[in-house]
Amino acid sequence: MPRKPEPTLNNKIRLLRGAAPGMTQASLAEEVGVTRQTIISLEAGGYVPSLPLALRIAKVFGTPVEEVFWLDE
């Protein structure tokens, strides 16, 4: 039986950050305890965050984690 392809993790960090007045990649990174490069990679879909990081990001935006991150299966 063929193996199912791995689902893709998507996010709307860039959209949420853009809607937050004055929030930059650097300020978000500092607030959640990562580098700006990590935020850049997350926004581009090149990095899958740990669960604690995903939860910290969602908390910054005041939204449930499943509204920031979702799987395309």
Side-chain angles (χ1 to χ4, degrees):
M1 179 172 262
R3 208 171 141 197
K4 258 181 122 172
E6 286 292 316
T8 303
L9 183 67
N10 296 294
N11 72 73
K12 60 179 180 181
I13 295 171
R14 183 177 288 136
L15 180 68
L16 291 167
R17 190 176 54 75
M23 184 176 287
T24 64
Q25 290 170 331
S27 65
L28 176 58
E30 185 175 330
E31 198 161 344
V32 298
V34 298
T35 65
R36 180 175 162 264
Q37 287 75 22
T38 299
I39 300 301
I40 290 168
S41 188
L42 279 165
E43 288 184 353
Y47 178 73
V48 175
S50 65
L51 181 55
L53 177 55
L55 291 168
R56 288 195 307 269
I57 290 169
K59 185 176 181 181
V60 166
F61 294 117
T63 188
V65 71
E66 55 274 350
E67 289 188 23
V68 180
F69 298 93
W70 67 94
L71 289 175
D72 275 343
E73 301 199 44

